[in-house]
Amino acid sequence: MEIATVVKANGGCEADRRRLRRLRCSVKDYDWGKIGSDSLVYRVYAANSDDQIDSTRPYAELWMGTHESGPSYLEDADGSNGVTLRSWIAENPKSLGNRVLEKWGCDLPFLFKVLSVARALSIQAHPDKKLAKKMHKAHPNLYRDDNHKPEMALAYTQFEALCGFIPLQELKSVIRAIPEIEELVGSEEANQVFCISEHDEEKLKSVVRTIFTLLMSADPDTTKKIVFKLKRRLHMESQERQLTDKERLVLKLEKQYPNDIGVISTFFFNYVKLNPGEALYLGANEPHAYLFGECIEVMATSDNVVRAGLTSKPLDIQSLCSMLTYKLGYPEILKGSRIRPYITRYLPPFEEFEVDLCDLPSGASTVFPSVPGPSLLLVLQGEGRMSTEASADGISMGDVLFVPADTEIHLRSSTDLKLYRAGVNSRFLYSL
């Protein structure tokens, strides 16, 4: 039902603009998602939707926002889907706040998601704005918008990912330890990594680009032969020694995606394991692949993906290899900063978004101060009550709410409550 309105006689229009809006959200059933009730996405969607839910399907992503590929709808008074959030914002642009409206126009600059990952997503990267415009113009059926897509994943459970290229010293160890790489790219090219210094940044990037492009461009028959050779060697060596985490991961990925070049390229990437409450952020043109677990994800409003392995979807290997930054080193892991009692903020270096995590014990209360930009709220656990100057109502698991700019929110929990807020980055909103 619609959030109950408590509008004063004076200033009713302004108060009504600040009323929270319940949303009905879209779901994606990509085949890498967890099945039925094993999926957090399924459980949230079942609580958020009146639709009949098929518990035998994979539930991979819940989308919250305005992107046309997975729009959110305002909930009507009778509980049915009303207009899209994007349409409502177009008719109520002040709900975004002046700074957001001036910067990004009449739309949310961020897209909010829940992900439930049962098996690896593709090795992929997202283009920067310049490349996104070019790709969208050339192939609008593949690249559905012209925006960049920086993103951040905040672990809800233990969450595993590949992210960015490993440091130079580790790369040298990989080339020594994995003969199949040299067999694929050639000894002369592979051995270049032993002749460069991490201080010669441009030369280092050039060498890694050459080796990685040769690896990813290997023909299918050669790839099949080398992957089989790698698998057989690791199985034999596992009888004599304990395999490394990365080697065990490679064997796991080979079962999921047999004969895929992404299996071997895994050795080039950082293997990141996030604990619940830790976050990983990714800029444009950085290679990554989510592997397993459940997370809250936020990104610039885009669905542009360039893929090169660990997938049955169309590949664009040459585009991916040419667009990457080839920066080496372990990614920064955000643990969040406590901004007030029970609220932790995750602040990546991107203007479009930030995330607040509210862990509110039973019977406790807190306040989200008003900010000069819009927010989306997602309840993932528990029950409580939420109120603003314009509205008040109960909230529970699966509720998704649009919060207009300049709206202060008071929360009180009746059971342990876990709630996430996605909003525009505070550094942008309060910069001069």
Side-chain angles (χ1 to χ4, degrees):
M1 66 183 227
E2 185 74 38
I3 292 279
T5 308
V6 196
V7 182
K8 297 178 181 178
N10 295 325
C13 291
E14 179 65 15
D16 184 62
R17 179 181 70 78
R18 294 183 185 174
R19 192 169 77 234
L20 307 183
R21 310 281 168 169
R22 288 188 184 272
L23 300 179
R24 292 291 179 83
C25 302
S26 298
V27 73
K28 302 292 183 180
D29 61 353
Y30 307 135
D31 59 7
W32 49 259
K34 293 189 176 185
I35 303 295
S37 60
D38 287 341
S39 167
L40 175 63
V41 170
Y42 169 92
R43 299 193 299 273
V44 175
Y45 184 60
N48 180 259
S49 172
D50 279 342
D51 295 344
Q52 289 291 324
I53 308 297
D54 182 356
S55 62
T56 65
R57 290 168 46 201
Y59 288 81
E61 297 186 353
L62 182 82
W63 287 32
M64 299 163 280
T66 56
H67 197 282
E68 61 183 10
S69 296
S72 295
Y73 299 85
L74 268 67
E75 183 181 294
D76 279 346
D78 63 359
S80 62
N81 289 0
V83 299
T84 65
L85 176 59
R86 187 172 189 174
S87 297
W88 185 87
I89 289 173
E91 295 177 358
N92 298 272
K94 288 185 178 181
S95 65
L96 298 177
N98 291 334
R99 291 215 69 190
V100 173
L101 199 56
E102 290 168 6
K103 174 75 174 180
W104 289 289
C106 208
D107 198 7
L108 276 185
F110 59 86
L111 176 61
F112 202 20
K113 296 183 181 181
V114 181
L115 270 61
S116 292
V117 181
R119 62 188 181 97
L121 282 67
S122 58
I123 292 173
Q124 59 185 254
H126 309 299
D128 58 27
K129 286 186 177 180
K130 182 178 179 181
L131 182 58
K133 290 181 185 296
K134 181 179 177 181
M135 288 178 151
H136 177 63
K137 185 175 181 180
H139 304 287
N141 58 322
L142 292 177
Y143 305 105
R144 304 292 295 273
D145 56 76
D146 62 359
N147 200 15
H148 69 162
K149 191 186 175 187
E151 63 188 31
M152 179 172 67
L154 171 55
Y156 183 76
T157 64
Q158 289 277 337
F159 192 78
E160 298 181 8
L162 298 173
C163 177
F165 288 98
I166 55 180
L168 177 58
Q169 291 307 311
E170 188 176 342
L171 180 58
K172 290 178 178 179
S173 298
V174 163
I175 298 298
R176 290 190 187 100
I178 312 299
E180 292 82 8
I181 293 175
E182 183 176 322
E183 191 170 348
L184 267 178
V185 307
S187 58
E188 182 177 346
E189 286 77 10
N191 288 331
Q192 287 184 61
V193 299
F194 302 111
C195 305
I196 51 176
S197 164
E198 60 188 11
H199 302 296
D200 190 349
E201 190 172 328
E202 290 309 310
K203 177 65 174 176
L204 177 57
K205 288 182 179 180
S206 176
V207 167
V208 176
R209 180 185 292 111
T210 297
I211 295 173
F212 186 72
T213 302
L214 285 169
L215 180 81
M216 299 303 291
S217 304
D219 68 81
D221 288 341
T222 302
T223 299
K224 181 178 180 179
K225 181 181 73 173
I226 297 298
V227 170
F228 175 78
K229 205 171 184 179
L230 171 65
K231 179 176 69 169
R232 184 177 59 184
R233 179 176 64 82
L234 291 179
H235 279 308
M236 289 175 60
E237 292 186 8
S238 70
Q239 306 303 312
E240 301 175 359
R241 66 175 177 89
Q242 183 174 345
L243 298 181
T244 66
D245 282 356
K246 182 74 74 69
E247 288 170 332
R248 289 195 296 272
L249 172 63
V250 163
L251 291 177
K252 179 179 178 182
L253 293 177
E254 193 279 331
K255 287 183 179 179
Q256 295 177 6
Y257 299 97
N259 307 319
D260 194 301
I261 193 61
V263 172
I264 299 180
S265 67
T266 296
F267 286 109
F268 282 71
F269 303 126
N270 296 293
Y271 183 17
V272 179
K273 298 179 181 180
L274 298 178
N275 294 314
E278 294 180 336
L280 171 72
Y281 65 84
L282 300 153
N285 303 325
E286 295 295 344
H288 60 281
Y290 295 156
L291 301 174
F292 183 80
E294 293 176 310
C295 75
I296 309 304
E297 190 182 33
V298 63
M299 63 206 68
T301 302
S302 173
D303 194 31
N304 286 326
V305 182
V306 184
R307 300 178 180 88
L310 302 182
T311 183
S312 58
K313 293 182 178 180
L315 304 179
D316 193 347
I317 290 172
Q318 293 310 310
S319 290
L320 183 125
C321 291
S322 65
M323 70 191 274
L324 299 179
T325 65
Y326 293 97
K327 291 188 294 188
L328 274 65
Y330 199 77
E332 181 183 9
I333 304 301
L334 299 181
K335 297 182 183 295
S337 301
R338 184 61 58 92
I339 59 169
R340 61 192 311 110
Y342 311 115
I343 299 177
T344 301
R345 175 161 294 169
Y346 299 83
L347 198 63
F350 312 121
E351 292 181 331
E352 287 89 347
F353 56 82
E354 66 185 22
V355 171
D356 291 341
L357 164 58
C358 178
D359 260 318
L360 200 59
S362 178
S365 60
T366 192
V367 176
F368 281 102
S370 67
V371 294
S375 303
L376 291 174
L377 296 180
L378 165 67
V379 183
L380 277 192
Q381 179 183 317
E383 297 179 348
R385 190 163 184 81
M386 181 179 293
S387 61
T388 71
E389 66 176 13
S391 58
D393 203 0
I395 54 170
S396 60
M397 190 270 196
D399 283 343
V400 181
L401 305 158
F402 174 76
V403 183
D406 305 310
T407 303
E408 183 176 87
I409 300 169
H410 294 256
L411 278 173
R412 185 168 184 84
S413 59
S414 50
T415 66
D416 291 349
L417 186 68
K418 186 183 289 286
L419 179 148
Y420 295 82
R421 182 195 75 89
V424 177
N425 194 298
S426 299
R427 294 193 187 107
F428 168 77
L429 289 176
Y430 295 105
S431 62
L432 298 177

